[in-house]
Amino acid sequence: MRDLKAVGKKFVHVMYPKKSSALLRDWDLWGPLVLCVSLALMLQGGSADSKDDGGPQFAEVFVIIWFGAVVITLNSKLLGGTISFFQSLCVLGYCVLPLTVAMLVCRLVLLAGSGTVSFVIRLIVVVAMFGWSTLASTAFLADSQPPNRKALVVYPIFLFYFVISWMILTFTPQ
């Protein structure tokens, strides 16, 4: 129960990002794992053995998220960041929460039908949640970098969440 409360507090920190070290101090990978698995399951689409579904396979999403987070973390460390490896993975993983919410909303919108209006609604939701994920992660990670290298850390974060957002926006179940 203690771990569930800690995960819930970190979700609140991501949904209401403010300059706080609480998310960084007590890192864990349970929340990021749950978010990654749920996002991968939602993006998988139809049946697991179908080659004609509209989404990527589970392993593709899982690897993209974790490999991307590791690359961003290594970039941050190589640029002189003061944050630990697992703290960075924790922040990047928890900041996938808005994109997971976007995927849930997009799935619900796609149940109503797929057309121009559906695409516009999904585009607005995904762009808003992409901005939220990027803002939340940079609020926690940018302060751990030297001032003259913040842009070099923020740009890969932007690309990481952009790729995930693109996968969500282009998802079409069959």
Side-chain angles (χ1 to χ4, degrees):
M1 198 60 172
R2 173 180 48 95
D3 290 340
L4 287 176
K5 287 181 182 176
V7 168
K9 286 180 183 178
K10 289 182 179 90
F11 282 158
V12 170
H13 277 290
V14 170
M15 295 311 284
Y16 301 108
K18 54 185 176 252
K19 306 252 185 216
S20 170
S21 64
L23 183 64
L24 297 176
R25 190 173 353 120
D26 304 322
W27 62 267
D28 70 83
L29 298 177
W30 286 111
L33 179 66
V34 168
L35 290 172
C36 182
V37 168
S38 61
L39 185 62
L41 286 173
M42 285 189 282
L43 277 170
Q44 186 168 354
S47 62
D49 58 352
S50 173
K51 299 292 182 197
D52 298 329
D53 64 354
Q57 294 300 315
F58 179 88
E60 293 171 356
V61 175
F62 200 82
V63 167
I64 287 171
I65 290 175
W66 286 106
F67 183 72
V70 167
V71 167
I72 291 171
T73 300
L74 288 174
N75 178 50
S76 173
K77 292 299 289 177
L78 291 173
L79 289 172
T82 59
I83 190 171
S84 80
F85 183 81
F86 289 109
Q87 285 174 329
S88 179
L89 283 180
C90 174
V91 169
L92 291 168
Y94 273 104
C95 289
V96 173
L97 176 64
L99 292 173
T100 306
V101 171
M103 183 64 212
L104 186 62
V105 170
C106 288
R107 290 292 297 238
L108 293 173
V109 168
L110 283 170
L111 286 176
S114 58
T116 305
V117 174
S118 170
F119 178 76
V120 169
I121 292 171
R122 291 183 318 157
L123 179 66
I124 291 169
V125 168
V126 169
V127 166
M129 295 302 170
F130 161 72
W132 200 328
S133 289
T134 305
L135 175 74
S137 62
T138 55
F140 295 113
L141 294 178
D143 288 339
S144 69
Q145 298 301 316
N148 60 342
R149 295 186 175 166
K150 286 186 181 187
L152 293 172
V153 174
V154 172
Y155 181 67
I157 293 171
F158 173 86
L159 289 177
F160 174 65
Y161 291 121
F162 179 79
V163 168
I164 298 170
S165 299
W166 188 259
M167 288 190 305
I168 292 170
L169 187 62
T170 59
F171 173 76
T172 56
Q174 298 295 325

